[in-house]
Coordinates of all heavy atoms in Angstrom, one line a residue:
V181 N -37.2 91.5 192.1 CA -38.2 91.1 193.0 C -39.1 90.1 192.7 O -39.2 89.0 193.3 CB -39.0 92.5 193.4 CG1 -40.2 92.1 194.3 CG2 -38.2 93.4 194.2
G182 N -39.6 90.2 191.4 CA -40.4 89.0 190.9 C -39.7 87.8 190.8 O -40.2 86.6 191.2
C184 N -37.1 86.9 192.7 CA -36.8 86.2 194.0 C -38.1 85.7 194.6 O -38.1 84.6 195.4 CB -36.5 87.4 194.9 SG -34.9 88.0 194.6
M185 N -39.3 86.3 194.3 CA -40.6 85.6 194.8 C -40.9 84.3 194.2 O -41.5 83.5 194.7 CB -41.6 86.6 194.7 CG -41.6 87.8 195.6 SD -41.7 87.2 197.4 CE -41.6 88.8 198.3
V186 N -40.4 84.2 192.8 CA -40.7 82.9 192.1 C -39.9 81.8 192.8 O -40.4 80.7 193.0 CB -40.4 83.0 190.6 CG1 -40.3 81.7 190.1 CG2 -41.4 83.8 189.8
I187 N -38.6 82.2 193.1 CA -37.7 81.2 193.9 C -38.3 81.0 195.3 O -38.4 79.8 195.7 CB -36.3 81.8 193.9 CG1 -35.8 82.1 192.6 CG2 -35.5 80.9 194.8 CD1 -34.4 82.8 192.7
G188 N -38.9 81.9 195.9 CA -39.5 81.7 197.1 C -40.8 80.8 197.0 O -41.1 79.9 197.9
D189 N -41.5 80.9 195.9 CA -42.7 80.1 195.6 C -42.2 78.7 195.3 O -42.8 77.7 195.7 CB -43.3 80.6 194.4 CG -44.8 80.0 194.2 OD1 -45.3 79.6 195.3 OD2 -45.4 80.2 193.2
G190 N -41.0 78.6 194.8 CA -40.5 77.2 194.6 C -40.0 76.5 195.8 O -40.1 75.3 195.9
L191 N -39.9 77.3 196.9 CA -39.6 76.7 198.2 C -40.9 76.4 199.0 O -41.0 75.3 199.7 CB -38.8 77.7 199.0 CG -38.8 77.6 200.5 CD1 -38.1 76.3 201.0 CD2 -38.0 78.8 201.2
L192 N -42.0 77.2 198.9 CA -43.1 77.1 199.7 C -44.3 76.2 199.0 O -44.9 75.5 199.7 CB -43.8 78.5 199.9 CG -42.9 79.3 200.7 CD1 -43.4 80.9 200.7 CD2 -42.9 78.9 202.2
T193 N -44.4 76.2 197.7 CA -45.3 75.4 197.1 C -45.2 73.9 197.4 O -46.2 73.3 197.6 CB -45.4 75.7 195.5 OG1 -45.9 77.1 195.3 CG2 -46.4 74.8 194.7
L298 N -56.9 84.1 198.4 CA -55.9 84.3 197.1 C -55.2 83.0 196.7 O -54.6 83.0 195.6 CB -54.9 85.5 197.4 CG -53.7 85.2 198.5 CD1 -52.6 84.5 197.9 CD2 -53.3 86.5 199.0
L299 N -55.1 82.0 197.7 CA -54.3 80.8 197.3 C -55.1 80.0 196.2 O -54.5 79.1 195.6 CB -54.4 79.9 198.4 CG -53.4 80.5 199.7 CD1 -53.5 79.5 200.9 CD2 -51.9 80.7 199.3
T302 N -52.9 80.3 193.1 CA -51.5 80.0 193.1 C -51.2 79.0 191.8 O -52.0 78.2 191.6 CB -51.1 79.1 194.3 OG1 -51.9 78.1 194.4 CG2 -51.1 80.1 195.6
L440 N -48.1 78.1 206.3 CA -47.6 78.0 204.9 C -48.3 78.6 203.9 O -47.8 79.2 203.1 CB -47.6 76.5 204.7 CG -46.7 75.5 205.5 CD1 -47.0 74.1 205.3 CD2 -45.2 75.9 204.9
G441 N -49.7 78.8 204.2 CA -50.6 79.5 203.2 C -50.4 81.1 203.2 O -50.3 81.8 202.1
N442 N -50.0 81.6 204.4 CA -49.7 83.0 204.6 C -48.4 83.4 203.9 O -48.4 84.3 203.0 CB -49.6 83.4 206.0 CG -51.0 83.4 206.7 OD1 -52.0 83.4 206.1 ND2 -51.0 83.2 208.1
A443 N -47.5 82.6 203.9 CA -46.1 82.7 203.2 C -46.3 82.6 201.9 O -45.8 83.4 201.0 CB -45.1 81.7 203.8
S444 N -46.9 81.5 201.3 CA -47.1 81.3 199.9 C -47.9 82.3 199.3 O -47.6 82.8 198.1 CB -47.8 79.9 199.7 OG -47.9 79.7 198.3
G445 N -48.9 82.8 199.8 CA -49.8 83.7 199.4 C -49.2 85.1 199.1 O -49.3 85.8 198.0
L446 N -48.3 85.6 199.9 CA -47.5 86.8 199.7 C -46.6 86.6 198.5 O -46.5 87.5 197.7 CB -46.7 87.1 200.9 CG -46.0 88.6 200.9 CD1 -46.9 89.7 200.7 CD2 -45.0 88.8 202.2
A447 N -46.0 85.6 198.4 CA -45.0 85.3 197.3 C -45.7 85.2 195.9 O -45.4 86.0 194.9 CB -44.2 84.1 197.5
V448 N -46.8 84.7 195.9 CA -47.7 84.5 194.7 C -48.2 86.0 194.3 O -48.1 86.3 193.0 CB -48.8 83.6 194.9 CG1 -49.9 83.7 193.7 CG2 -48.4 82.2 195.0
M449 N -48.7 86.7 195.2 CA -49.2 88.0 194.8 C -48.2 89.0 194.4 O -48.3 89.8 193.5 CB -50.1 88.6 196.0 CG -51.3 88.0 196.3 SD -52.3 87.4 194.9 CE -52.5 89.0 194.0
T450 N -47.1 88.9 195.0 CA -45.9 89.8 194.6 C -45.5 89.6 193.1 O -45.3 90.4 192.3 CB -44.7 89.6 195.5 OG1 -45.1 89.8 196.9 CG2 -43.7 90.5 195.2
V451 N -45.4 88.2 192.8 CA -45.1 87.8 191.4 C -46.2 88.4 190.5 O -45.8 88.9 189.3 CB -44.9 86.4 191.3 CG1 -44.7 86.1 189.8 CG2 -43.8 85.9 192.1
M452 N -47.4 88.3 190.8 CA -48.5 88.7 190.0 C -48.5 90.2 189.7 O -48.8 90.9 188.7 CB -49.8 88.3 190.5 CG -50.0 86.8 190.4 SD -51.7 86.2 190.8 CE -51.6 84.5 190.4
L453 N -48.2 90.9 190.9 CA -48.2 92.5 190.8 C -46.9 92.9 189.7 O -47.1 93.8 189.1 CB -47.9 93.0 192.0 CG -49.2 93.3 193.0 CD1 -48.8 93.6 194.4 CD2 -50.1 94.3 192.3
V454 N -45.9 92.2 189.9 CA -44.7 92.5 189.0 C -45.1 92.2 187.5 O -44.8 93.1 186.6 CB -43.5 91.7 189.5 CG1 -42.4 91.7 188.4 CG2 -42.8 92.0 190.7
F489 N -52.8 91.5 198.2 CA -51.3 91.8 198.7 C -51.4 92.5 200.1 O -50.6 92.1 201.0 CB -50.6 92.6 197.7 CG -49.2 92.8 198.1 CD1 -48.3 91.8 197.9 CD2 -48.9 94.2 198.7 CE1 -46.9 92.1 198.3 CE2 -47.5 94.4 199.0 CZ -46.7 93.4 198.8
S492 N -52.3 90.0 202.6 CA -51.1 89.1 203.0 C -50.1 89.7 203.8 O -49.6 89.1 204.8 CB -50.5 88.6 201.7 OG -51.4 87.8 200.9
A500 N -45.9 85.3 206.8 CA -45.7 86.1 205.6 C -44.2 86.7 205.7 O -43.7 87.2 204.6 CB -46.7 87.2 205.5
L502 N -41.5 85.1 206.0 CA -40.5 84.2 205.3 C -40.2 84.6 203.9 O -39.2 84.7 203.5 CB -41.1 82.8 205.3 CG -40.2 81.7 204.7 CD1 -38.7 81.7 205.5 CD2 -40.7 80.3 204.8
P503 N -41.2 84.8 202.9 CA -40.8 85.2 201.5 C -40.2 86.6 201.6 O -39.3 86.9 200.6 CB -42.3 85.2 200.9 CG -43.2 85.2 201.9 CD -42.7 84.5 203.1
I504 N -40.5 87.5 202.5 CA -39.9 88.8 202.4 C -38.5 88.7 202.8 O -37.6 89.2 202.1 CB -40.7 89.7 203.5 CG1 -42.1 90.0 203.0 CG2 -40.0 91.1 203.6 CD1 -43.0 90.8 203.8
L506 N -36.7 86.0 202.5 CA -35.9 85.2 201.5 C -35.6 86.1 200.4 O -34.6 86.2 199.7 CB -36.8 84.2 201.1 CG -36.1 83.1 200.1 CD1 -35.0 82.4 200.6 CD2 -37.2 81.9 199.6
A507 N -36.7 87.0 200.0 CA -36.5 88.0 198.9 C -35.4 89.0 199.3 O -34.5 89.3 198.2 CB -37.8 88.6 198.6

Side-chain angles (χ1 to χ4, degrees):
V181 168
C184 294
M185 286 300 181
V186 170
I187 298 172
D189 198 20
L191 159 66
L192 294 164
T193 294
L298 68 85
L299 295 176
T302 55
L440 289 171
N442 293 338
S444 179
L446 183 63
V448 168
M449 290 317 304
T450 305
V451 176
M452 290 186 176
L453 276 170
V454 169
F489 182 76
S492 296
L502 180 61
I504 295 177
L506 184 65

